[in-house]
Amino acid sequence: MPFRPNRHRIHRFDWLYWVLKPWVTFSFRQYYSRITVVDAHKIPVNLPVIFAPNHQNALMDALAVLYATHGQPVFLARADIFNNPTQARLLHFLKIMPVFRIRDGAENLSKNDETFQACLSVLHDRHALCLMPEGNHGDKQRLRPLVKGIFRIAMLTQEELGESVPVQMVPVGLDYHHYQNFRRPLLVQFGDPIDVSGFLPLYRENKPKAFNAMRDILAEKLSQLIIDIRNDTFYDVIHELRFIYTPHFVEKDHYSAFRFDKHLTTQLDQFAQEQPEKLEPLAAKVRELKEGTEKLNLRYWLFRKKAFQSFPFLPSLLLLVLGFPLFLYGLIHSILPYWFPVRFIRIRNIKDPQFHSSFKFVLAFLMFPLVYLLFFLASLLVLPHFWMSLLYLLSLPVTGFLAFNYFILLKKVRGFLRFRRMKKRKDPYLMRLIQMHDDIIQMVQQLVTSPI
């Protein structure tokens, strides 16, 4: 029997959802090393709100909005993930509704009318709705063309409510330090809301012009909140310089690094468009440096003299030696939920890298509690007192987290030793890469300080 949800009630307060949301957002927070939320105060209160984030990382984009906002927002997602009835029920519980695209079959496009009507109900009752205005996710850090669905929903709602209750469209910029890797920083920025009621006169006169005007304004606001590299020829070079050049000036603060990156990529993008010949020598060096560091399995931080010289090698080595028993304890208890999601992606041959972090998060979200619960139940059969089993259970997530950080520190120490050893014996290839790295810094410095 097909699943027939009542979408017009999807935004109603759900107690079970209210209970589970803190656990989901807590788990999401653990997936990233830091989550920085900027300008959340710009979200309007007691008004119908449409969140419009850029879309580059599949499910994680929706979870980022969920993490950074209050309440129980409703999301739209592509319709093909609703094909399984059980999965459709779960998605409905998560307040996600389907949107049919032309690739889903022209005969299915009429089903969007039901979804659009449900969206009107959400906004009419002054709840939050989240749509990805790009329509699909991409693998490059740039804003793709915006689809008209979000503007159609906004204007239909505004027409129904009239000018007295202005619908607010809030641009949301999401910046991931790395799309796939665990424990990397995430930045969520809210832009100035767009008052949809201001477009109502134009909409009544000419709907396409109103949609185009809204699209242009939203695109401009979103572009300001994300890294938006437009040039194709030098895309890889401009993107890579975020990790080569920026850390020389900004190290840990993701928001400051984003602002630096935004200025840097905008300038280089402009050079690429107007004076591409100035980027050719730089591009050759950046591509060769990237290839060389990958070949030697080295990281860019080793090439920064300040970072290399300040690395606490001896304390790190001592910490590795003394912390090995704790690492082993955490590894034994946590290796399965750490390892299996990565293995699952390889077995299923999931080729779209933008889905990798989503699969990792969902599988880890399910597996960590299950594995720890099984260890806890087994301990009840072995340990003489319940409080001992409880302490044992509490130790598992802590030591699992420490084991992961131990592994990262181990990789840094190994990389540091390999780099220092090669540098000490003046390995010709490494010395060439070091000189190339220094040349890149100087070349970029000259470019960004020179007039275009």
Side-chain angles (χ1 to χ4, degrees):
M1 182 177 179
F3 175 53
R4 298 291 300 173
N6 185 349
R7 292 181 191 153
H8 293 277
R9 297 178 59 84
I10 194 171
H11 60 286
R12 302 297 173 84
F13 183 85
D14 187 301
W15 283 102
L16 182 57
Y17 187 102
W18 180 77
V19 170
L20 291 178
K21 181 182 175 181
W23 172 242
V24 173
T25 53
F26 172 79
S27 301
F28 185 77
R29 173 63 186 84
Q30 305 316 304
Y31 190 88
Y32 293 96
S33 59
R34 294 186 307 278
I35 301 180
T36 305
V37 180
V38 178
D39 289 337
H41 66 275
K42 291 183 178 180
I43 302 174
V45 180
N46 296 325
L47 288 172
V49 172
I50 301 177
F51 292 113
N54 60 304
H55 196 20
Q56 296 177 343
N57 206 12
L59 173 65
M60 307 307 276
D61 294 337
L63 291 175
V65 174
L66 185 69
Y67 173 87
T69 59
H70 299 292
Q72 302 181 0
V74 176
F75 297 85
L76 297 187
R78 64 191 212 190
D80 60 324
I81 66 174
F82 289 78
N83 291 336
N84 182 291
T86 302
Q87 190 166 296
R89 287 186 175 87
L90 176 61
L91 292 169
H92 181 75
F93 165 72
L94 296 174
K95 300 185 181 294
I96 303 174
M97 297 189 294
V99 173
F100 293 86
R101 302 164 296 175
I102 190 65
R103 71 182 68 174
D104 300 315
E107 67 280 2
N108 288 319
L109 293 180
S110 61
K111 297 179 181 178
N112 283 333
D113 292 338
E114 183 181 355
T115 297
F116 285 166
Q117 289 300 316
C119 290
L120 297 185
S121 298
V122 172
L123 295 172
H124 186 275
D125 291 346
R126 303 192 185 190
H127 285 261
L129 186 67
C130 182
L131 290 81
M132 311 298 177
E134 293 168 292
N136 53 27
H137 67 261
D139 61 349
K140 291 186 176 180
Q141 291 194 296
R142 67 165 55 131
L143 186 66
R144 297 182 306 285
L146 308 186
V147 297
K148 68 178 182 180
I150 186 171
F151 310 115
R152 179 185 172 192
I153 291 171
M155 291 310 310
L156 287 173
T157 306
Q158 192 65 73
E159 191 175 37
E160 180 179 317
L161 294 175
E163 297 181 7
S164 60
V165 183
V167 175
Q168 303 291 306
M169 188 180 297
V170 181
V172 186
L174 306 176
D175 185 73
Y176 300 86
H177 186 269
H178 195 287
Y179 289 124
Q180 293 83 35
N181 287 0
F182 175 62
R183 297 297 294 172
R184 296 296 182 91
L186 164 64
L187 174 65
V188 183
Q189 295 186 79
F190 292 93
D192 293 320
I194 300 171
D195 188 338
V196 177
S197 66
F199 297 89
L200 198 53
L202 179 60
Y203 176 76
R204 289 166 176 163
E205 177 185 329
N206 189 312
K207 293 181 181 180
K209 281 188 176 181
F211 291 155
N212 290 339
M214 294 174 67
R215 179 199 63 198
D216 293 343
I217 291 178
L218 178 59
E220 181 182 355
K221 288 180 176 290
L222 272 176
S223 179
Q224 295 170 0
L225 298 173
I226 67 173
I227 301 299
D228 190 10
I229 304 173
R230 311 306 304 174
N231 187 270
D232 285 318
T233 304
F234 296 102
Y235 174 87
D236 62 323
V237 173
I238 297 173
H239 181 264
E240 199 66 22
L241 283 170
R242 296 183 64 194
F243 307 103
I244 299 174
Y245 184 76
T246 298
H248 280 268
F249 305 92
V250 185
E251 292 190 14
K252 295 183 179 180
D253 182 359
H254 193 173
Y255 182 49
S256 298
F258 167 83
R259 289 187 296 176
F260 191 95
D261 280 342
K262 183 64 177 173
H263 180 70
L264 172 68
T265 55
T266 300
Q267 283 190 291
L268 294 177
D269 211 6
Q270 192 171 351
F271 269 111
Q273 299 291 351
E274 299 178 7
Q275 301 181 49
E277 68 280 359
K278 288 191 174 183
L279 281 186
E280 289 289 355
L282 174 63
K285 288 182 179 291
V286 169
R287 288 164 180 156
E288 187 175 349
L289 178 64
K290 184 175 188 296
E291 181 182 350
T293 52
E294 289 176 351
K295 181 179 179 180
L296 297 179
N297 193 24
L298 297 174
R299 298 293 181 266
Y300 291 134
W301 71 269
L302 294 165
F303 292 82
R304 301 196 300 273
K305 293 178 182 179
K306 182 179 179 181
F308 179 79
Q309 293 172 356
S310 62
F311 180 71
F313 171 67
L314 290 178
S316 298
L317 191 61
L318 182 63
L319 190 60
L320 290 176
V321 173
L322 297 179
F324 181 75
L326 194 61
F327 163 73
L328 197 60
Y329 178 90
L331 179 68
I332 292 171
H333 292 98
S334 301
I335 184 63
L336 183 61
Y338 273 130
W339 169 84
F340 180 77
V342 178
R343 184 62 180 167
F344 177 85
I345 290 171
R346 292 176 182 172
I347 292 173
R348 294 294 299 271
N349 193 25
I350 300 172
K351 296 181 179 179
D352 187 344
Q354 310 311 113
F355 274 110
H356 287 190
S357 58
S358 298
F359 276 102
K360 288 179 183 178
F361 173 76
V362 171
L363 290 172
F365 174 77
L366 297 173
M367 290 188 66
F368 270 104
L370 177 60
V371 169
Y372 291 163
L373 178 61
L374 291 175
F375 276 118
F376 172 69
L377 294 176
S379 73
L380 293 174
L381 302 176
V382 177
L383 297 177
H385 302 290
F386 178 78
W387 65 268
M388 291 183 177
S389 295
L390 187 60
L391 285 178
Y392 171 69
L393 175 63
L394 294 175
S395 74
L396 300 185
V398 176
T399 54
F401 179 77
L402 292 176
F404 177 82
N405 283 277
Y406 181 100
F407 177 71
I408 297 300
L409 181 61
L410 177 63
K411 291 178 67 175
K412 292 190 73 171
V413 169
R414 289 176 59 186
F416 177 86
L417 284 173
R418 189 186 315 114
F419 185 90
R420 188 174 70 173
R421 185 169 60 250
M422 293 178 68
K423 187 177 181 181
K424 189 174 182 179
R425 67 169 187 256
K426 297 189 182 299
D427 181 271
Y429 189 52
L430 177 65
M431 300 311 292
R432 173 177 170 79
L433 293 180
I434 292 175
Q435 184 60 54
M436 194 174 302
H437 173 270
D438 294 343
D439 290 345
I440 289 170
I441 301 303
Q442 292 180 8
M443 292 171 74
V444 175
Q445 190 70 21
Q446 290 173 1
L447 277 175
V448 298
T449 55
S450 64
I452 298 177

